[in-house]
Amino acid sequence: MFSTAANQSEGPSPNPSKVHTLIFVGGLSDGLLTVPYTIPLSTWLPPAWRLVQPLLSSSYNGWGVSSLGSDARELVLLITYIQQLRPNSKILLMGHSTGCQDAMHYLTSQLIGDNAETERPHVDGVVLQAPVSDREGFALLGAPLELARAEQLLSQGKGEEVLSEVSAFFGVPICARRWVSLMARGGEDDYFSSDLDSAVLEKTFGVVGNKGVPLLVLYSGADEYVPIGVDKVALLRRWADAMEAGGGMMDEGSDVITGASHNLSSAVVESEESNSEAIKRVRGGVFDKILTFLQRIESH
């Protein structure tokens, strides 16, 4: 687990019992600080907040043989520890890319071994940054279509068998079970695809709405892993509608961030600005929305 402290130069150090935690979970192949905006985000946080990034079993090259379920179980351990370390403080879960699927899975799925009388540790809010469909994104990359073979292996009880073509393409071992999860319509990882119908969204975003967990969604307007034909604004509206149908409401700061790339490492340049200025502008807009969200959570 890696933890960063916000810049303390603007005021006194907060009471340790009132230090709040923003848990950051990256995407496929990410590890400690591989997402380029993590350090800048940590310095943007208010003094009472800490950015924590865990190393999960799926980090770096582990994603191809891991699962959202195993990530969620490891997050249970982390959140339980933080609750014991910092009682009565706020804990938020923030996902980037496939980390968004981890956050949604934590909120909406039932872990193996869970029962109706065992509640997962509570989180006070969730941020989704660049929640995209791996199924649609991998198609853009031209990934091998070994789905039929993966499904056959899974049906034969050989879900842990490694797929040679897909593994060679990505340079990491990928088993049949995880490939089906990522690439099958309605697979375990399939939370954000643009072709999912309302009945499916009611079981994901609708459940989040029903639980009343505050949710901030920041969709990158120039995300290179989203097909050109996807109407991002309409997709975000469908997710918000599903939350409302469940009895909740998506945070008012949720938005499609104009010009933002997937991991905010680049941005569409506006007139008379440099690349670095465009990146700084886009990140500042994203960070301001996160900061406002944290302040709303902290005041409740």
Side-chain angles (χ1 to χ4, degrees), residues 9-24:
S9 60
E10 297 183 359
S13 298
N15 184 331
S17 66
K18 286 298 182 182
V19 170
H20 309 301
T21 306
L22 178 62
I23 300 172
F24 181 86

Side-chain angles (χ1 to χ4, degrees), residues 126-164:
V126 169
V127 179
L128 305 181
Q129 189 276 315
V132 302
S133 164
D134 286 316
R135 173 161 61 88
E136 294 174 344
F138 285 169
L140 293 177
L141 294 176
L145 299 176
E146 279 191 278
L147 181 58
R149 171 167 166 72
E151 289 177 329
Q152 181 182 35
L153 289 170
L154 192 60
S155 69
Q156 295 171 348
K158 301 177 181 178
E160 303 309 306
E161 185 168 320
V162 171
L163 302 170
S164 57

Side-chain angles (χ1 to χ4, degrees), residues 24 102 260 289:
F24 181 86
D102 278 329
K289 284 180 174 293

Side-chain angles (χ1 to χ4, degrees), residues 220-238:
S220 291
D223 198 310
E224 60 271 30
Y225 297 110
V226 177
I228 294 175
V230 173
D231 186 332
K232 302 176 182 68
V233 174
L235 183 60
L236 189 62
R237 182 67 256 170
R238 291 185 64 223

Side-chain angles (χ1 to χ4, degrees), residues 5-265:
N7 191 335
Q8 303 295 317
S9 60
E10 297 183 359
S13 298
N15 184 331
S17 66
K18 286 298 182 182
V19 170
H20 309 301
T21 306
L22 178 62
I23 300 172
F24 181 86
V25 182
L28 301 183
S29 79
D30 281 323
L32 290 180
L33 308 180
T34 56
V35 178
Y37 66 77
T38 47
I39 290 295
L41 174 60
S42 72
T43 64
W44 204 279
L45 296 178
W49 285 84
R50 300 291 182 270
L51 181 70
V52 169
Q53 184 178 8
L55 264 184
L56 303 175
S57 298
S58 61
S59 299
Y60 298 114
N61 292 342
W63 63 269
V65 293
S66 189
S67 69
L68 297 183
S70 64
D71 286 351
R73 285 189 288 275
E74 291 172 12
L75 287 171
V76 165
L77 298 176
L78 172 62
I79 292 168
T80 300
Y81 169 74
I82 293 173
Q83 287 179 335
Q84 295 170 348
L85 182 69
R86 300 168 180 168
N88 304 314
S89 65
K90 304 292 186 180
I91 299 176
L92 268 68
L93 188 57
M94 176 175 176
H96 158 70
S97 193
T98 306
C100 297
Q101 286 143 236
D102 278 329
M104 291 293 289
H105 203 73
Y106 184 89
L107 292 177
T108 65
S109 70
Q110 183 173 350
L111 300 180
I112 296 174
D114 275 1
N115 59 63
E117 297 179 356
T118 303
E119 289 290 332
R120 238 170 273 184
H122 174 73
V123 293
D124 297 284
V126 169
V127 179
L128 305 181
Q129 189 276 315
V132 302
S133 164
D134 286 316
R135 173 161 61 88
E136 294 174 344
F138 285 169
L140 293 177
L141 294 176
L145 299 176
E146 279 191 278
L147 181 58
R149 171 167 166 72
E151 289 177 329
Q152 181 182 35
L153 289 170
L154 192 60
S155 69
Q156 295 171 348
K158 301 177 181 178
E160 303 309 306
E161 185 168 320
V162 171
L163 302 170
S164 57
E165 288 185 40
V166 172
S167 298
F169 181 84
F170 287 100
V172 299
I174 302 173
C175 68
R177 169 189 47 76
R178 188 65 197 268
W179 193 240
V180 170
S181 176
L182 289 164
M183 293 298 289
R185 192 171 189 270
E188 185 179 61
D189 276 87
D190 200 16
Y191 279 92
F192 307 120
S193 293
S194 61
D195 59 358
L196 298 177
D197 60 32
S198 297
V200 174
L201 297 181
E202 288 174 5
K203 298 176 182 178
T204 55
F205 286 94
V207 170
V208 177
N210 181 260
K211 289 187 174 182
V213 178
L215 179 69
L216 173 67
V217 182
L218 302 172
Y219 203 108
S220 291
D223 198 310
E224 60 271 30
Y225 297 110
V226 177
I228 294 175
V230 173
D231 186 332
K232 302 176 182 68
V233 174
L235 183 60
L236 189 62
R237 182 67 256 170
R238 291 185 64 223
W239 296 348
D241 287 345
M243 285 194 68
E244 292 175 16
M249 184 170 292
M250 188 176 287
D251 186 79
E252 62 191 57
S254 298
D255 202 359
V256 175
I257 309 300
T258 303
S261 67
H262 185 63
N263 65 1
L264 310 184
S265 62

